[in-house]
Amino acid sequence: MSLLIYNTLTRKKEEFVPLHAPHVGLYVCGPTVYGDAHLGHARPAITFDLLFRYLTHLGYKVRYVRNITDVGHLEHDADEGEDKIAKKARLEKLEPMEVVQRYLNNYHKEMEMLNVLPPSIEPHASGHIIEQIEFIKKILAAGYAYESEGSVYFDVEKYNQKFHYGKLSGRNIDELLEATRELDGQNEKHRSIDFALWKKAAPEHIMHWPSPWSEGFPGWHLECSTMSTKYLGEEFDIHGGGMDLMFPHHECEIAQSCAALGHDTVKYWMHNNMITINGQKMGKSLGNFITLHEFFTGTNKLLSQAFSPMTIRFFILQAHYRSTVDFSDEALKASEKGLERLMEAFQRLQKLQPSEKSTVKTAGLRELCENAMSDDLNSPMVIAHLFESAKAINTVFDGKGTISANDLDELKDTWKLFAEDILGLRTENDDNASNEAYKKAVDLLLNIRLEAKRNKDWATSDKIRDELTAMGFTIKDTKDGFEWMAP
């Protein structure tokens, strides 16, 4: 069974041929841990979890590397603005790594709830400063970077004379370069399109390290070039991420790697598309920003109820990873009902008793699902095939048909493989009633704590917080009350 994947670099589907079969190197841009994870974080995590699972099913030995950005991701771009983690640390009077760890712990919990498998390696940008400095030295030695006032910048114009800057995103860089010539001499960069490899830290900047050029910090793009080649080699199979990273982040990665090593490092580039909310791009300024915690608890004005992690996963898998997904409360409710029907059929399948012969059609399901997955991870088609198969399951369950022992075993194996092992769907651990009662009980305790705080009854307030924290709950006070996450 050959696997076709859409290569963003060539803009066409290509047969996947690993560089060093059966080993596969997969690198995916992970989260920037300066805030709570949201739906935009869930989509790439689930998309490349699906790829990881399917490659493993096909028999490949996958080294899956997903990075953690905990330094260098700036407010406006890779050259200007305040580091988001440093800003958060300053506002909350915490150590930067305290901010990182808190949000990373929450991210891991939420990924586990979404049944996203952990990567093979999860390197942090802050743990690879030495390697990033060495990577910059290679680019400087090759002549594609320059030092300016303690910072180091990538020379896009010089690079573009030999290589092609813009080949991934399809940008016309010649026009951009021409437009930036009038800015010459107005700042420390030769061209405004040049990007930072190393930035000299301002006195107030919290996160900084020594380097041959200055006390400073690496540019955002550099970490992925450095860590991907460190753990997967100078050439590896697949690099993935959200479409929003295609330019400038992934374009800069290609340039850095080619400049330092003299050749491309990635064979296949894969990008998942965006998630919109009621037709709009998700953003805090638009008032439509919803965190995963808010989805799981229903604590957002755009939500009429809480939605389980499996509903979120199913909602994302119902669309092809390269298509735009438009979220709405109604769409999630429809996904919730669809998931219930699918998992009910899966549970009914386990209860079926075999007969001497089959009067329902079950043959060919495995091949149909394999073909769909091998056609650029077509998860919506897999789900459609499972729903079609559910009709036969329900027919037998209702006593209106029969199924032979061989067909039943094959059907059970196929459903487990595709619904559970590859799509990663599972029945929720708790039934809805007990889960709702559990949430109400915790809310009740935290409302009592809130009332105690208003009455300046600090002993009661602290006791409730400390006891719940000791049990593993994460509690966060907000201007409107509180938020919490179960252990």
Side-chain angles (χ1 to χ4, degrees):
M1 178 66 66
S2 62
L3 169 62
L4 295 176
I5 59 176
Y6 185 85
N7 190 346
T8 313
L9 187 63
T10 59
R11 292 166 180 76
K12 62 183 181 181
K13 289 182 186 178
E14 297 178 6
E15 182 178 355
F16 176 65
V17 180
L19 292 165
H20 306 289
H23 299 277
V24 171
L26 169 62
Y27 187 91
V28 175
C29 290
T32 303
V33 283
Y34 60 83
D36 293 315
H38 50 75
L39 205 58
H41 289 112
R43 190 169 198 194
I46 291 170
T47 294
F48 293 102
D49 180 61
L50 181 69
L51 175 63
F52 182 30
R53 288 169 179 268
Y54 194 57
L55 287 172
T56 302
H57 160 67
L58 292 177
Y60 295 116
K61 299 180 185 298
V62 186
R63 176 176 287 178
Y64 176 15
V65 181
R66 185 181 68 202
N67 74 299
I68 298 296
T69 298
D70 57 359
V71 62
H73 192 90
L74 305 177
E75 194 68 49
H76 302 295
D77 58 30
D79 302 334
E80 301 173 1
E82 184 176 7
D83 186 296
K84 291 182 177 181
I85 292 170
K87 180 179 180 180
K88 203 89 172 177
R90 178 172 53 77
L91 292 175
E92 299 186 20
K93 295 181 173 59
L94 299 170
E95 283 291 325
M97 288 303 141
E98 208 171 347
V99 174
V100 168
Q101 197 63 55
R102 187 177 77 191
Y103 287 116
L104 185 56
N105 289 345
N106 290 346
Y107 176 79
H108 284 155
K109 285 181 184 176
E110 288 165 341
M111 291 303 105
E112 186 176 350
M113 293 166 74
L114 290 168
N115 202 21
V116 169
L117 299 175
S120 313
I121 305 173
E122 193 174 58
H124 290 227
S126 62
H128 295 75
I129 301 298
I130 293 173
E131 290 91 340
Q132 292 182 75
I133 289 172
E134 292 303 311
F135 211 90
I136 294 171
K137 288 179 181 178
K138 290 181 181 179
I139 298 173
L140 282 166
Y144 295 110
Y146 56 90
E147 184 182 352
S148 177
E149 300 180 26
S151 295
V152 180
Y153 293 98
F154 191 91
D155 192 330
V156 172
E157 183 172 36
K158 187 171 182 181
Y159 171 84
N160 197 53
Q161 291 170 359
K162 180 175 181 181
F163 300 98
H164 179 193
Y165 185 85
K167 64 181 180 180
L168 180 67
S169 58
R171 304 284 177 113
N172 189 330
I173 301 304
D174 290 329
E175 287 183 4
L176 291 177
L177 284 167
E178 192 62 36
T180 62
R181 291 183 191 280
E182 61 188 42
L183 300 175
D184 287 0
Q186 293 187 16
N187 57 38
E188 60 188 53
K189 296 193 290 183
H190 292 176
R191 301 278 184 272
S192 64
I193 197 173
D194 294 348
F195 57 90
L197 299 173
W198 187 266
K199 280 292 289 182
K200 182 179 180 180
E204 66 274 10
H205 201 94
I206 301 174
M207 302 177 78
H208 52 81
W209 293 264
S211 80
W213 315 288
S214 66
E215 186 78 14
F217 52 93
W220 169 38
H221 312 303
L222 189 65
E223 64 184 81
C224 289
S225 290
T226 302
M227 294 190 291
S228 63
T229 53
K230 175 180 173 65
Y231 294 109
L232 298 176
E234 290 192 4
E235 292 181 278
F236 61 94
D237 298 293
I238 303 172
H239 193 314
M243 192 170 285
D244 56 318
L245 297 177
M246 194 184 305
F247 188 89
H249 185 51
H250 290 160
E251 200 73 74
C252 292
E253 273 192 64
I254 291 175
Q256 289 166 161
S257 298
C258 283
L261 306 172
H263 57 79
D264 283 323
T265 56
V266 180
K267 188 173 182 181
Y268 305 94
W269 283 89
M270 295 181 70
H271 293 88
N272 63 272
N273 214 322
M274 308 294 289
I275 288 181
T276 57
I277 296 185
N278 294 317
Q280 286 185 309
K281 184 178 178 180
M282 184 172 61
K284 288 183 179 179
S285 61
L286 297 172
N288 63 0
F289 186 84
I290 308 176
T291 67
L292 291 178
H293 176 74
E294 289 171 334
F295 276 111
F296 300 160
T297 59
T299 53
N300 187 291
K301 63 182 180 181
L302 296 177
L303 302 173
S304 62
Q305 64 179 71
F307 292 98
S308 73
M310 281 301 100
T311 298
I312 301 298
R313 185 178 180 101
F314 185 68
F315 169 71
I316 289 172
L317 290 172
Q318 278 184 299
H320 190 271
Y321 77 90
R322 286 194 290 114
S323 66
T324 303
V325 174
D326 188 49
F327 156 82
S328 67
D329 192 67
E330 293 73 22
L332 267 188
K333 285 180 178 177
S335 289
E336 183 178 58
K337 290 179 180 176
L339 178 62
E340 285 175 1
R341 293 199 313 273
L342 194 71
M343 299 314 286
E344 181 183 46
F346 194 15
Q347 291 170 338
R348 286 181 167 187
L349 176 59
Q350 312 312 314
K351 299 175 183 177
L352 298 186
Q353 297 299 317
S355 300
E356 288 187 9
K357 63 177 183 178
S358 296
T359 60
V360 293
K361 182 181 177 182
T362 61
L365 177 63
R366 182 185 292 263
E367 184 180 1
L368 289 170
C369 292
E370 286 274 9
N371 289 340
M373 279 301 299
S374 293
D375 185 13
D376 197 27
L377 308 182
N378 196 334
S379 57
M381 188 58 68
V382 175
I383 291 170
H385 291 320
L386 291 175
F387 268 121
E388 185 64 28
S389 169
K391 295 177 182 178
I393 294 170
N394 292 329
T395 297
V396 176
F397 186 84
D398 294 336
K400 298 177 181 177
T402 60
I403 187 169
S404 69
N406 286 340
D407 287 348
L408 181 57
D409 288 343
E410 172 64 15
L411 200 57
K412 284 182 177 180
D413 288 345
T414 302
W415 268 74
K416 182 185 184 305
L417 173 62
F418 286 96
E420 199 170 77
D421 298 343
I422 293 175
L423 295 182
L425 301 173
R426 62 187 179 194
T427 305
E428 302 296 334
N429 293 329
D430 302 310
D431 61 62
N432 292 334
S434 63
N435 199 31
E436 192 61 33
Y438 168 76
K439 292 175 183 175
K440 287 180 178 178
V442 178
D443 283 341
L444 177 62
L445 275 173
L446 290 175
N447 276 314
I448 292 171
R449 175 176 175 263
L450 203 59
E451 187 63 28
K453 285 177 67 178
R454 292 194 188 106
N455 296 331
K456 298 186 178 180
D457 181 0
W458 308 120
T460 301
S461 170
D462 291 347
K463 181 175 175 59
I464 293 172
R465 181 199 62 207
D466 294 346
E467 292 286 346
L468 286 173
T469 301
M471 294 177 193
F473 287 86
T474 301
I475 299 163
K476 181 180 176 182
D477 292 318
T478 67
K479 63 179 181 179
D480 298 320
F482 56 80
E483 292 179 357
W484 62 270
M485 183 178 293

